[in-house]
Amino acid sequence: MRDRLQRLVPGGSHTYAKGDDQFPEQAPAFIQRGSGCRVWDLHGREYIEYGMGLRSVTLGHAFEPVVEAVRQQLVIGSNFSRPAPIELECAEQFLELVPSAEMVKFCKDGSDAVDGAVRLARAYTGRDMVAVCGDHPFFSTSDWFIGTTEMQAGVPRSTTQLICTFRYNDLPSLATLFERYPGAIACVVMEAARTEEPGPRYLEQLRDLTHRHGALLVFDELITGFRWHASGAQHVYGVAADLSAWGKALANGFSVSALAGSREIMRLGGTDHARERVFLLSATHGAETHGLAAAIATMRFYRDNPVVETLYARGARLRKGFERAVADNGLVGYVDVVGRGCNLLFGTRDADMRPSQAYRTLFMQELIKRGIIAPSFVVSYSHSDADIDRTIDAVLHALPLYRQALDGGVDRFLDGQPVRPVFRRYA
Ligand SMILES: Cc1ncc(COP(=O)(O)O)c(C=O)c1O
């Protein structure tokens, strides 16, 4: 089946991050089903999973309150020729959670939402250039962003020439861009934070700088939204953006994303103004009703249950056990976890302390042998303390081999090819 998929689907996966080149060779080629934090492969083997649908499944796989809401909607139709009432209900729920926004438009993918923000900012400011944070790895599948990566075949250079990058937590690097391109930058696109926390007043100063130069601030809340806090990183740090893009956890794995912002800007996509109209996020499937039902059920569950607190608590437990296991194996500095407890990533380094895909492969390989699929340690609400403890146990058993590999070379311990970065120029 793996070969057939490779033959029929470029890259062997409809999402690069799920591809064969992202996982050790003995990772299950397919996941047949999931429940909570567990998944099963074609042979019925059970795994505890991390990452959870590229961080979209925050509550758990097949999470019953969400599935039930979807089920109820499916039997009354999913797409009509006029808006369904659920579009209003979902907008009201969302805007209650995100008080910095006055209007919202739903779409399917996070990329749609970020693209919408960029087009809107360009129209609002009458400028073409976009400043993106170069320390944040991904914003959109569209040309304007893909052209800035290593994998830029097919992207016209003229598109990429409109993009400039600045460094996170480095205000002068953004100030320099505004000086170099006076009156040309429409917006600043960034995550409020990733693994590095913002320095004191960094985000406030960045917003002021952006506004002083007549540009808009766009926060990508694809990862931080419904994970840092139900109201996003902008709530955690107390800095609202002009526009923000949401998705992933918003509908617990169903395809719903959102562009949110102030009425003054968002209304350019509407019909109640005299300015030139902006084509803002209008897609055939944009308001599929069962997706919105999933989003409403997800937001409701967040409102009534300590979801985010649980993510942080599970992550803290995992971090503590992980760091103890690393210290016990003499691997401090070689393997580590970074980021907030709700969003832990791990780093793997070779004997010279350089980031290493081969060691990443070895670590993932040894965890898979022990029933853990972990491209990251991003937890869900369904990971119990017992699941975390089982994972720590697997880490404890995986690390001695890492130690041996550092001493004797990694290749002889790998069962296949090392994993590779998605963004590379050649196959
Ligand atoms: C920070 C960030 N922004 C935007 C996106 C794009 O979202 P989507 O894959 O839903 O288009 C992603 C996807 O991984 C992301 O991590």
Side-chain angles (χ1 to χ4, degrees), residues 15 54-55 108-114 136-141 191 194 220-224 245 247-248 257:
T15 310
L54 316 185
R55 298 185 180 87
K108 282 302 184 198
D109 290 306
S111 302
D112 304 338
V114 182
H136 294 164
F138 197 73
F139 291 111
S140 170
T141 52
E191 296 178 82
R194 195 169 171 268
D220 177 329
E221 294 260 23
L222 265 296
I223 290 174
T224 51
K248 292 206 188 255
S257 60

Side-chain angles (χ1 to χ4, degrees), residues 23 51 90 106 114-115 118 130 138 170 183 225 255 297 335 398:
F23 287 86
C90 196
F106 295 116
V114 182
D115 293 350
V118 167
V130 175
F138 197 73
D170 180 351
S255 175
V335 202

